[in-house]
Amino acid sequence: EPEVTQTPSHQVTQMGQEVILRCVPISNHLYFYWYRQILGQKVEFLVSFYNNEISEKSEIFDDQFSVERPDGSNFTLKIRSTKLEDSAMYFCASSEQGISNQPQHFGDGTRLSIL
Amino acid sequence: AQKVTQAQTEISVVEKEDVTLDCVYETRDTTYYLFWYKQPPSGELVFLIRRNSFDEQNEISGRYSWNFQKSTSSFNFTITASQVVDSAVYFCALSPPEAGTALIFGKGTTLSVSS
């Protein structure tokens, strides 16, 4: 069964450094998303991406964050100048084209630890 | 504003017991989607079900069943004859009907099934 893949599974970064989280969505999916989950808390929406542009973003997704689809398969989340509070599990998801909101299929997540 | 409430933080049952996970939602949309996701100890998010607000029929899939009641804004999830492998955090989520929109998650219910 097709799946969303995320790399790396665990990233450790010094505070203030930039980090790029990578995702390969399911191949025929056209909507892409990033969510984050701070340890023990609920899953929070960051951003959605469609047709090479951001379609929706949350208050969390400030100027520190950016997303990109650098080629036909990858979807990346960049966090500039990381802070301690950016430590979380980051999930990428994708969904099919449709006239309604299709199920979002999630990757296994990248655990980001900021030291 | 949209909101999902999962009032049960943790539930512990013994194998073979039935268990119901509650989900109550708030939305001003007349059309919306409801979802359940499972997060096992390994951390990934697994899609279980999507339900359209116009479809109030209950659904059964093996040992899983879902009870959607629009009158009480609830979308409860029952596991029949629970098994140890059902131990996980279960998230209820809500979204508008438009394709590619964000999922609004509840805080999750941690289910522990002991043998």
Side-chain angles (χ1 to χ4, degrees):
Chain A
E1 184 177 325
E3 57 182 26
V4 176
T5 56
Q6 290 186 243
T7 54
S9 56
H10 190 192
Q11 174 83 43
V12 182
T13 301
Q14 291 289 331
M15 186 172 59
Q17 296 295 306
E18 174 183 286
V19 64
I20 297 176
L21 309 183
R22 291 183 167 80
C23 169
V24 178
I26 295 173
S27 60
N28 65 333
H29 287 186
L30 297 179
Y31 292 92
F32 314 121
Y33 314 81
W34 283 101
Y35 291 80
R36 80 171 184 191
Q37 184 182 28
I38 295 171
L39 185 63
Q41 299 188 22
K42 67 178 178 181
V43 180
E44 301 174 291
F45 170 74
L46 293 177
V47 65
S48 58
F49 192 86
Y50 172 70
N51 202 24
N52 285 318
E53 59 183 29
I54 291 173
S55 53
E56 187 180 4
K57 61 182 181 178
S58 71
E59 295 174 350
I60 303 169
F61 194 86
D62 58 21
D63 292 342
Q64 182 194 10
F65 295 90
S66 62
V67 289
E68 191 179 28
R69 188 153 163 82
D71 53 44
S73 59
N74 288 284
F75 178 51
T76 62
L77 174 70
K78 182 189 290 186
I79 310 175
R80 286 182 284 272
S81 189
T82 49
K83 300 176 250 188
L84 293 176
E85 53 265 37
D86 294 328
S87 295
M89 180 76 90
Y90 288 81
F91 289 102
C92 175
S94 68
S95 63
E96 293 179 6
Q97 174 90 27
I99 57 172
S100 60
N101 209 10
Q102 301 298 311
Q104 295 176 23
H105 295 272
F106 286 77
D108 288 349
T110 292
R111 181 166 299 285
L112 178 62
S113 300
I114 307 299
L115 304 179
Chain B
Q2 296 186 317
K3 185 179 176 182
V4 175
T5 300
Q6 295 179 255
Q8 304 151 308
T9 307
E10 294 183 21
I11 300 176
S12 295
V13 298
V14 178
E15 252 189 329
K16 299 183 184 176
E17 282 186 35
D18 298 348
V19 59
T20 296
L21 310 181
D22 298 333
C23 173
V24 174
Y25 61 91
E26 295 174 29
T27 180
R28 291 186 185 143
D29 292 330
T30 53
T31 303
Y32 49 88
Y33 283 93
L34 295 163
F35 303 78
W36 276 93
Y37 283 83
K38 174 182 180 180
Q39 187 175 42
S42 46
E44 71 271 26
L45 283 165
V46 179
F47 166 74
L48 295 178
I49 189 171
R50 178 187 74 152
R51 177 48 53 89
N52 183 316
S53 56
F54 287 110
D55 181 4
E56 289 196 66
Q57 280 194 346
N58 290 335
E59 181 155 344
I60 298 174
S61 176
R63 295 184 297 107
Y64 295 170
S65 62
W66 290 270
N67 184 332
F68 175 38
Q69 294 204 349
K70 209 166 178 178
S71 59
T72 55
S73 297
S74 65
F75 186 43
N76 297 337
F77 174 29
T78 297
I79 302 174
T80 303
S82 59
Q83 300 175 0
V84 173
V85 294
D86 295 328
S87 296
V89 182
Y90 290 87
F91 291 98
C92 180
L94 167 72
S95 83
E98 295 82 16
T101 47
L103 296 179
I104 308 300
F105 283 84
K107 291 185 177 180
T109 297
T110 300
L111 174 64
S112 299
V113 182
S114 57
S115 56

